[in-house]
Coordinates of all heavy atoms in Angstrom, one line a residue:
D1 N 1.0 4.3 -17.1 CA 2.3 5.1 -17.0 C 3.3 4.2 -16.5 O 4.5 4.4 -16.8 CB 2.2 6.3 -15.9 CG 1.3 7.3 -16.5 OD1 1.1 7.4 -17.7 OD2 0.9 8.2 -15.7
Y2 N 3.1 3.1 -15.8 CA 4.1 2.2 -15.2 C 4.3 0.9 -15.9 O 4.7 -0.1 -15.3 CB 3.6 1.9 -13.6 CG 3.5 3.3 -12.9 CD1 2.3 3.9 -12.7 CD2 4.7 3.8 -12.4 CE1 2.2 5.1 -12.0 CE2 4.5 5.0 -11.6 CZ 3.4 5.7 -11.6 OH 3.3 6.8 -10.8
K3 N 3.8 0.7 -17.1 CA 4.0 -0.4 -18.0 C 5.5 -0.6 -18.0 O 6.3 0.4 -18.3 CB 3.5 -0.3 -19.2 CG 1.9 -0.6 -19.4 CD 1.5 -0.7 -20.7 CE -0.1 -1.2 -20.6 NZ -0.6 -1.4 -22.1
G4 N 6.0 -1.8 -17.8 CA 7.4 -2.1 -18.0 C 7.9 -2.5 -16.5 O 9.1 -3.0 -16.3
K5 N 7.0 -2.3 -15.5 CA 7.4 -2.7 -14.1 C 6.2 -3.4 -13.5 O 5.1 -3.2 -14.1 CB 7.5 -1.5 -13.4 CG 8.9 -0.7 -13.5 CD 9.2 0.3 -12.5 CE 10.5 0.9 -12.5 NZ 10.8 1.9 -11.3
I6 N 6.4 -4.3 -12.6 CA 5.4 -4.8 -11.9 C 4.8 -3.8 -11.0 O 5.4 -3.0 -10.4 CB 5.9 -6.0 -10.9 CG1 6.5 -7.1 -11.8 CG2 4.9 -6.7 -9.9 CD1 7.3 -8.1 -11.0
V7 N 3.4 -3.9 -10.8 CA 2.8 -2.7 -10.1 C 2.0 -3.4 -8.9 O 1.3 -4.5 -9.3 CB 1.8 -1.9 -11.0 CG1 1.1 -0.8 -10.1 CG2 2.7 -1.4 -12.1
L8 N 2.1 -3.0 -7.7 CA 1.3 -3.4 -6.6 C 0.5 -2.1 -6.3 O 0.9 -1.1 -5.8 CB 2.2 -3.7 -5.4 CG 1.6 -4.5 -4.2 CD1 2.7 -4.9 -3.3 CD2 0.6 -3.6 -3.4
I9 N -0.9 -2.3 -6.6 CA -1.8 -1.3 -6.2 C -2.4 -1.6 -4.9 O -3.0 -2.7 -4.6 CB -3.0 -1.3 -7.3 CG1 -2.4 -1.1 -8.6 CG2 -4.0 -0.1 -6.9 CD1 -3.7 -1.2 -9.7
N10 N -2.2 -0.7 -3.9 CA -2.7 -0.9 -2.6 C -3.7 0.0 -2.2 O -3.5 1.2 -2.2 CB -1.6 -0.8 -1.6 CG -1.9 -1.1 -0.1 OD1 -2.2 -0.1 0.6 ND2 -2.0 -2.3 0.2
F11 N -5.0 -0.5 -2.1 CA -6.2 0.5 -1.7 C -6.1 0.5 -0.2 O -6.3 -0.5 0.5 CB -7.5 0.0 -2.2 CG -7.5 0.0 -3.8 CD1 -7.2 -1.1 -4.5 CD2 -7.8 1.2 -4.3 CE1 -7.1 -1.2 -5.9 CE2 -8.0 1.3 -5.7 CZ -7.6 0.2 -6.5
W12 N -6.0 1.7 0.3 CA -6.0 2.0 1.9 C -6.7 3.2 2.3 O -7.2 4.0 1.5 CB -4.6 2.0 2.2 CG -3.9 3.3 1.7 CD1 -3.5 3.5 0.4 CD2 -3.5 4.4 2.4 NE1 -3.0 4.8 0.3 CE2 -3.0 5.3 1.5 CE3 -3.6 4.7 3.8 CZ2 -2.6 6.7 2.0 CZ3 -3.2 6.0 4.2 CH2 -2.6 7.0 3.2
A13 N -6.7 3.4 3.6 CA -7.2 4.6 4.1 C -6.5 4.9 5.5 O -6.0 3.9 6.3 CB -8.7 4.6 4.5
T14 N -6.4 6.1 6.0 CA -5.7 6.5 7.2 C -6.4 5.9 8.4 O -5.7 5.8 9.4 CB -5.6 8.1 7.3 OG1 -7.0 8.6 7.4 CG2 -4.8 8.8 6.0
W15 N -7.6 5.7 8.4 CA -8.4 5.2 9.6 C -8.2 3.6 9.8 O -8.7 3.1 10.7 CB -9.9 5.5 9.4 CG -10.5 5.2 8.1 CD1 -10.8 6.0 7.1 CD2 -11.0 3.8 7.8 NE1 -11.4 5.4 6.1 CE2 -11.5 3.9 6.5 CE3 -11.0 2.6 8.3 CZ2 -12.1 3.0 5.7 CZ3 -11.5 1.6 7.7 CH2 -12.0 1.6 6.4
C16 N -7.7 3.0 8.7 CA -7.6 1.5 8.7 C -6.4 1.0 9.6 O -5.2 1.4 9.1 CB -7.6 1.0 7.2 SG -7.1 -0.7 6.9
K17 N -6.7 0.3 10.6 CA -5.6 -0.1 11.5 C -4.7 -1.1 10.8 O -3.4 -1.0 10.8 CB -6.3 -0.9 12.5 CG -5.3 -1.7 13.5 CD -6.1 -2.5 14.6 CE -5.1 -3.3 15.4 NZ -5.8 -4.1 16.3
Y18 N -5.2 -2.0 9.9 CA -4.4 -3.0 9.3 C -3.6 -2.4 8.1 O -2.4 -2.8 7.8 CB -5.2 -4.1 8.7 CG -5.8 -5.0 9.8 CD1 -7.2 -4.9 10.1 CD2 -5.1 -5.7 10.6 CE1 -7.7 -5.6 11.1 CE2 -5.6 -6.4 11.7 CZ -7.0 -6.3 12.0 OH -7.5 -7.0 13.0
C19 N -4.2 -1.2 7.5 CA -3.4 -0.4 6.5 C -2.1 0.1 7.3 O -1.1 0.1 6.6 CB -4.3 0.7 5.9 SG -5.7 0.1 5.1
D20 N -2.4 0.7 8.4 CA -1.3 1.3 9.1 C -0.3 0.4 9.5 O 1.0 0.6 9.5 CB -1.9 2.0 10.4 CG -0.9 2.7 11.1 OD1 -0.4 3.7 10.5 OD2 -0.8 2.6 12.4
E21 N -0.5 -0.9 9.9 CA 0.4 -1.8 10.1 C 1.1 -2.4 8.8 O 2.4 -2.7 9.0 CB -0.3 -3.1 10.8 CG -0.9 -2.8 12.2 CD -1.5 -4.0 12.9 OE1 -1.2 -5.2 12.3 OE2 -2.3 -3.8 13.8
E22 N 0.6 -2.3 7.8 CA 1.1 -2.8 6.5 C 2.1 -1.9 5.8 O 3.0 -2.1 5.2 CB 0.0 -3.3 5.6 CG 0.5 -3.9 4.2 CD -0.7 -4.1 3.4 OE1 -1.5 -3.4 3.0 OE2 -0.9 -5.4 3.0
M23 N 1.8 -0.6 6.1 CA 2.5 0.5 5.4 C 4.1 0.4 5.5 O 4.8 0.5 4.5 CB 2.0 1.9 5.9 CG 0.8 2.5 5.3 SD 1.0 2.7 3.6 CE -0.7 3.5 3.2
P24 N 4.6 0.2 6.7 CA 6.1 0.2 6.8 C 6.6 -1.0 5.8 O 7.7 -0.9 5.3 CB 6.4 -0.1 8.2 CG 5.2 0.5 9.0 CD 4.0 0.3 7.9
D25 N 6.0 -2.1 5.8 CA 6.4 -3.3 5.0 C 6.2 -2.9 3.5 O 7.1 -3.3 2.7 CB 5.6 -4.5 5.2 CG 5.9 -5.1 6.7 OD1 7.1 -4.7 7.1 OD2 5.2 -5.8 7.3
L26 N 5.3 -2.1 3.2 CA 5.0 -1.7 1.6 C 6.3 -0.7 1.3 O 6.9 -0.8 0.3 CB 3.9 -0.9 1.5 CG 2.5 -1.9 1.4 CD1 1.2 -0.9 1.3 CD2 2.6 -2.8 0.3
E27 N 6.7 0.1 2.4 CA 7.8 1.1 2.1 C 9.1 0.3 1.9 O 9.8 0.6 1.0 CB 7.9 2.0 3.3 CG 9.2 2.9 3.2 CD 9.0 4.0 2.2 OE1 7.8 4.1 1.7 OE2 9.9 4.7 2.0
K28 N 9.3 -0.7 2.7 CA 10.4 -1.6 2.6 C 10.5 -2.3 1.3 O 11.6 -2.4 0.6 CB 10.6 -2.5 3.8 CG 11.7 -3.4 3.8 CD 11.7 -4.4 5.0 CE 13.0 -5.2 5.2 NZ 13.0 -6.1 6.4

């Protein structure tokens, strides 16, 4: 569905400490 754009697929989980730290930067 997202052809035409660069896609960053981020595999994560709520229990993952490093995912939690990375989330604000992904949002930015």
Side-chain angles (χ1 to χ4, degrees):
D1 294 340
Y2 300 96
K3 281 190 176 181
K5 288 190 174 184
I6 298 167
V7 180
L8 193 172
I9 309 173
N10 182 262
F11 292 96
W12 68 287
T14 62
W15 49 261
C16 167
K17 172 185 175 182
Y18 295 109
C19 302
D20 188 51
E21 292 182 17
E22 187 181 53
M23 281 288 181
D25 288 338
L26 286 173
E27 175 71 10
K28 184 178 180 182

